[in-house]
Amino acid sequence: MKYVAAFLLAQLGGKESPSPADVKTILASVSAEVDEAKLAEFFAAIAGKDVAELIAEGTKKLASVPSGGGGGGGGGGGGAAAPAAAAAKAPEPEEEEEEETGDFDLFD
């Protein structure tokens, strides 16, 4: 996938037909490792093909991939209501500690 992305970035950058060296340069700029065999395989797979046509074919294939979910099950039933006495009890506020004044500056 990174080879495809780097190839397309090179095209967007103005290279009509990026070379393996162009792809390597882009990947090196983000410290990505390059597998020479996979890079050669990628270029062999796209040799003589129009990238726009390849993207269109891929989009058609993705249209047949199911997406979305079945929605999952509904939430579980809640437990019994809590007793009124427990609900009426207000939480006690926590005591706030005062900040100590120190001789320091946050940005120094």
Side-chain angles (χ1 to χ4, degrees), residues 14-102:
K15 300 270 186 175
E16 189 171 319
S17 182
S19 68
D22 296 327
V23 171
K24 286 181 190 178
T25 301
I26 291 171
L27 293 174
S29 71
V30 293
S31 302
E33 293 182 19
V34 176
D35 182 344
E36 294 291 334
K38 287 184 180 180
L39 182 62
E41 183 181 336
F42 167 72
F43 272 92
I46 65 167
K49 298 180 182 175
D50 180 39
V51 175
E53 289 177 13
L54 292 173
I55 292 172
E57 287 176 24
T59 303
K60 289 177 188 173
K61 289 180 182 180
L62 284 176
S64 66
V65 175
S67 61
K89 183 179 176 184
E92 296 180 20
E94 294 182 21
E95 292 183 24
E96 295 182 16
E97 295 181 22
E98 292 185 26
E99 288 187 25
E100 294 182 24
T101 57

